[in-house]
Amino acid sequence: MSRGGGKGPSLKDKLDGNELDLSLCDLNEVPVRELAALPKATVLDLSCNNLISLPSDFCSLMHLVKLDLSKNRLQQLPLDFGRLVNLQHLDLLNNRLVTLPVSFAQLKNLKWLDLKDNPLDPVLAKVAGDCLDEKQCKQAAVKVLQHMKAIQSEQERQQQRKLQAEREMEKKREAEQRAKEAQERELRKREKAEEKERRRREYDAQKAAKQEMEKKTKKENVQTRKPASSSRPPQPPRHKRSWSRSVLRVLFFVLLCVLCTLAACKLTELQHQPLCVSVNTLYEDVLAALQNHKTLQNLLRQNSQQ
């Protein structure tokens, strides 16, 4: 076994029953692999070496029952040191330890502990007390375990409070996110309604403008047709036209009758009858009257006025 690494074929030669003495070997590191191959070595002495720290895999040596690490230069123990659950006797005399890992509280089988001559935290030093005899070392083991269990419980409570605070913060963030999403949905809904209302107003405005344009066009068309109709001569009332036509028909019928009577009195043998004599006389009077144009014009004017 070399001084620097603590490894060598002679490691088994140092095994005496269940005890393995590696003290005073000037070790800088622990030969964990070789020690793991010796599960019978439940008592391990690593005192009086140059160990500054223990490797993390040292805690895999769960078969250890008694461990002597006194008179080294250890500044701290591995965080999972509590994995050495079978450990009953632990000697840490004269190292450079200030605190112990919280997992130390898991060493439920620990019955003996020596922490003298370490620059311990004042609280831990007061709890550990002196280890000047067997009774004090046993009391140190009990008190330190209780102290570390209290620290572990407090850390667990702090961790629980931290987790609770994180969960509450997460819930708060989720609630804020939901509120934000709801606000965004409401905003989109309102914008959609406003857009719909704007489009409806535009549609109504376009429809009103179209109707106004149609009214204007219709009015212009009416105004355009009015002059043409006003240029025509005024038509007499319909009942007047009907009355004039009736008069003309009557006159035409009378005239026709007169002509027929006159023809009969002039061309037939009836001309010597008293009625025909009167008709012929009237005819001659009419011919004489026709010679006077003014009289005829007056007669026509009077007829038109009537």
Side-chain angles (χ1 to χ4, degrees):
M1 180 175 60
S2 65
R3 290 178 178 271
K7 301 177 182 179
S10 60
L11 190 60
K12 292 183 179 181
D13 297 336
K14 291 183 175 292
L15 183 62
D16 183 9
N18 65 337
E19 298 182 6
L20 180 62
D21 187 1
L22 298 179
S23 63
L24 300 171
C25 292
D26 197 20
L27 295 176
N28 295 320
E29 59 183 24
V30 179
V32 177
R33 183 176 299 177
E34 287 77 3
L35 292 174
L38 299 173
K40 293 183 179 181
T42 58
V43 179
L44 176 63
D45 188 355
L46 290 170
S47 62
C48 302
N49 283 291
N50 298 318
L51 300 176
I52 298 176
S53 63
L54 298 177
S56 59
D57 56 351
F58 180 83
C59 301
S60 65
L61 303 177
M62 299 175 61
H63 59 276
L64 294 178
V65 175
K66 183 176 181 179
L67 176 63
D68 189 351
L69 291 169
S70 62
K71 298 180 181 180
N72 279 279
R73 295 183 294 169
L74 294 173
Q75 298 178 2
Q76 61 182 7
L77 297 178
L79 294 177
D80 55 348
F81 192 80
R83 290 176 59 192
L84 302 175
V85 292
N86 293 314
L87 199 62
Q88 299 179 13
H89 185 109
L90 178 60
D91 192 347
L92 294 170
L93 170 72
N94 194 11
N95 277 278
R96 300 178 182 178
L97 298 173
V98 177
T99 60
L100 297 175
V102 178
S103 64
F104 199 91
Q106 300 173 10
L107 300 177
K108 58 183 179 179
N109 293 314
L110 189 65
K111 302 294 188 297
W112 194 98
L113 177 64
D114 188 358
L115 287 171
K116 290 192 309 295
D117 299 331
N118 280 280
L120 295 174
D121 176 80
V123 176
L124 179 59
K126 184 177 179 180
V127 171
D130 294 328
C131 184
L132 302 177
D133 54 31
E134 188 74 11
K135 182 178 179 180
Q136 289 182 344
C137 293
K138 289 182 178 180
Q139 289 178 349
V142 173
K143 292 181 179 179
V144 169
L145 281 178
Q146 291 176 349
H147 177 68
M148 297 309 298
K149 287 179 179 178
I151 293 177
Q152 185 182 45
S153 299
E154 180 61 24
Q155 287 191 354
E156 289 176 353
R157 285 193 294 270
Q158 290 180 358
Q159 184 67 20
Q160 288 295 327
R161 287 194 294 267
K162 182 179 179 181
L163 292 175
Q164 182 66 23
E166 290 178 353
R167 285 194 292 267
E168 291 178 356
M169 184 62 67
E170 182 65 23
K171 289 181 180 179
K172 184 178 179 181
R173 284 195 295 266
E174 291 177 356
E176 290 177 351
Q177 181 65 24
R178 288 194 295 269
K180 183 179 179 181
E181 291 175 354
Q183 185 177 5
E184 291 177 352
R185 286 194 299 270
E186 184 65 24
L187 179 61
R188 288 194 297 269
K189 184 178 179 181
R190 186 164 58 250
E191 290 177 349
K192 186 177 180 180
E194 291 175 354
E195 176 65 17
K196 185 176 181 180
E197 179 64 19
R198 184 187 64 81
R199 292 171 59 188
R200 188 188 65 79
R201 288 197 300 267
E202 289 180 354
Y203 173 78
D204 292 343
Q206 292 176 358
K207 186 176 180 180
K210 184 178 180 181
Q211 292 176 352
E212 185 65 24
M213 183 63 69
E214 290 176 353
K215 290 180 180 178
K216 186 176 180 182
T217 304
K218 186 176 180 181
K219 186 176 180 181
E220 290 177 352
N221 293 336
V222 171
Q223 291 177 353
T224 303
R225 287 195 298 269
K226 277 184 178 180
S229 61
S230 62
S231 62
R232 298 176 182 177
Q235 298 291 332
R238 192 164 188 179
H239 63 280
K240 277 190 173 185
R241 290 199 301 269
S242 300
W243 181 80
S244 299
R245 290 176 181 174
S246 300
V247 172
L248 290 176
R249 289 174 181 172
V250 172
L251 292 176
F252 179 74
F253 180 73
V254 171
L255 181 60
L256 183 60
C257 292
V258 170
L259 291 177
C260 292
T261 302
L262 183 59
C265 291
K266 284 289 187 180
L267 301 176
T268 64
E269 296 178 353
L270 297 175
Q271 58 183 342
H272 298 293
Q273 296 294 328
L275 179 60
C276 288
V277 172
S278 299
V279 170
N280 291 331
T281 302
L282 180 61
Y283 173 71
E284 291 176 357
D285 291 339
V286 170
L287 288 178
L290 289 175
Q291 294 177 358
N292 190 351
H293 296 290
K294 292 182 179 181
T295 303
L296 180 61
Q297 291 177 358
N298 291 333
L299 181 61
L300 293 176
R301 189 179 297 114
Q302 290 176 2
N303 187 22
S304 62
Q305 289 177 356
Q306 291 175 358

